[in-house]
Amino acid sequence: MKKVSLEDISKELGVSKTLVSFVMNGRAKEKRISEEMTEKVLAKAKEMGYKANYLARALRTGKSNTLGLIMADISNAFFAKLARSIENEANEFGYNVIFGSSDEDSIKSGKLIEVFKNKKVDGLIICPAMGDIKYIKRLQKEKYPYVLVDRYFADVKSNVVVVNNQIGSYEIVNDQVKQGKKKIAMVNFNVGLINMDDRFIGYKEALKANGLELDHSLVKNVSFRGMENETELAVKELLEQKDRIDTIYFSNNQLAFLGLKYIIKNNKSVLDKINICSFDSFAVMDLMEIPMVYGTQPIKELGKHAVDLIMKQIDSDTIQPQEVVLPISYSKKMI
């Protein structure tokens, strides 16, 4: 089958090849091409099965109009929604997004960075894994446009978009204390990631501010690799000392889901005595007949700021690194 060209599309529509090229390269607004004509061109291109040769265009123009996006785990609802937000925002700039998951593996993350660079992406948006600092330093040295989202490295001055993990965590735990809860356990994730460490700091500071001592036996740490089994074990151990706890606080949505799954299956009656909190939510949380407190991260805003920062870098190599820190909100789900 003959490959569809820009010229084929232009002949079908009776317009110039140049006009079609501007539309397909995301330059319609710049060239003042009407929205109606832009939609016609895009619809015809889709109808005819046009596939752009991004690598050839990148070699010719120096820009591919593509971004590389590395998420920690695209199967996680938070990262899936964030990826979609970034994709939608990038589309407003005429950019496509290529996705990859690092699975919290620095080696895999490094390979993805090289793959995307070889594909001539114009910039990278990265949710870094532990150990990625060497790759980030290399990107910085090469002056390759990149933005870190959700996490960052304090030792590397980068463009960063994150939520205020410490304050968000503090507010959730402090709310529990104000409700009279004094034995608050925490199940934390991938200690060593700065966002998770900050959530633990917020937890500790809320206890301290209310005159409560940190009990290390009530803090359980879970790894990415063994998340399901380790979360079940952590919750099991906490419930075995249920007379010593009145709240279980999960530092992310996956831990909350796995923890609640275990409790409902094995000991649902404890939910009459123990509060459940989560730093963020998961898809079916509102359908579960369980009262809980959970945070809501501003995912749309995270994506918007990440794309804005990468576009500024692509357009200019003199942009000073910026750090965008967004607040979370939290909700109390009652039944």
Side-chain angles (χ1 to χ4, degrees), residues 90-318:
N91 186 60
E92 294 295 314
F93 288 88
Y95 269 70
N96 295 300
V97 179
I98 307 173
F99 301 88
S101 289
S102 71
D103 295 325
E104 301 288 5
D105 183 334
S106 181
I107 294 175
K108 187 174 180 181
S109 187
K111 287 179 179 178
L112 283 169
I113 289 172
E114 290 306 309
V115 166
F116 290 153
K117 285 168 65 179
N118 289 335
K119 289 184 177 296
K120 307 295 182 184
V121 300
D122 296 331
L124 293 162
I125 298 176
I126 305 169
C127 175
M130 285 187 289
D132 276 5
I133 189 168
K134 56 184 176 292
Y135 306 125
I136 303 308
K137 285 182 175 179
R138 190 180 304 160
L139 290 172
Q140 187 184 57
K141 186 176 180 180
E142 295 170 350
K143 295 185 177 180
Y144 202 102
Y146 74 91
V147 172
L148 302 183
V149 65
D150 187 53
R151 307 143 179 195
Y152 63 99
F153 297 103
D155 295 338
V156 184
K157 193 69 174 175
S158 303
N159 282 283
V160 172
V161 183
V162 293
V163 298
N164 198 320
N165 292 285
Q166 191 170 320
I167 290 179
S169 188
Y170 177 96
E171 289 178 345
I172 290 172
V173 176
N174 186 60
D175 175 74
Q176 290 299 295
V177 179
K178 297 306 180 188
Q179 290 185 46
K181 306 301 181 181
K182 297 182 179 181
K183 303 169 185 176
I184 303 170
M186 181 178 188
V187 182
N188 202 7
F189 174 76
N190 264 22
V191 174
L193 287 172
I194 196 164
N195 56 337
M196 294 301 166
D197 289 348
D198 281 347
R199 292 176 195 181
F200 180 54
I201 291 171
Y203 162 80
K204 291 191 297 182
E205 289 186 344
L207 296 179
K208 184 178 179 180
N210 288 281
L212 301 175
E213 289 189 12
L214 172 65
D215 183 344
H216 288 282
S217 70
L218 300 186
V219 179
K220 304 293 182 180
N221 295 315
V222 172
S223 71
F224 179 79
R225 295 296 171 195
M227 187 176 355
E228 186 163 357
N229 291 334
E230 290 177 26
T231 302
E232 289 185 0
L233 178 60
V235 173
K236 179 176 181 291
E237 290 176 349
L238 290 172
L239 294 183
E240 286 173 352
Q241 50 181 335
K242 59 179 178 294
D243 293 337
R244 294 186 59 235
I245 63 172
D246 48 32
T247 299
I248 301 179
Y249 169 45
F250 296 95
S251 68
N252 81 357
N253 57 355
Q254 284 183 302
L255 300 185
F257 175 78
L258 292 171
L260 281 169
K261 179 181 173 184
Y262 175 82
I263 292 171
I264 291 169
K265 181 179 179 181
N266 295 279
N267 199 350
K268 188 176 181 180
S269 62
V270 302
L271 294 172
D272 293 332
K273 301 177 182 178
I274 295 176
N275 282 6
I276 300 296
C277 302
S278 173
F279 186 84
D280 46 11
S281 62
F282 52 82
V284 297
M285 187 173 280
D286 285 332
L287 300 179
M288 301 179 76
E289 295 183 352
I290 298 171
M292 65 185 79
V293 173
Y294 59 89
T296 301
Q297 298 197 56
I299 294 176
K300 185 175 180 181
E301 288 76 13
L302 285 168
K304 182 180 187 309
H305 284 290
V307 174
D308 285 346
L309 285 180
I310 199 68
M311 290 304 166
K312 287 178 181 178
Q313 289 181 79
I314 290 170
D315 291 338
S316 173
D317 58 5
T318 60

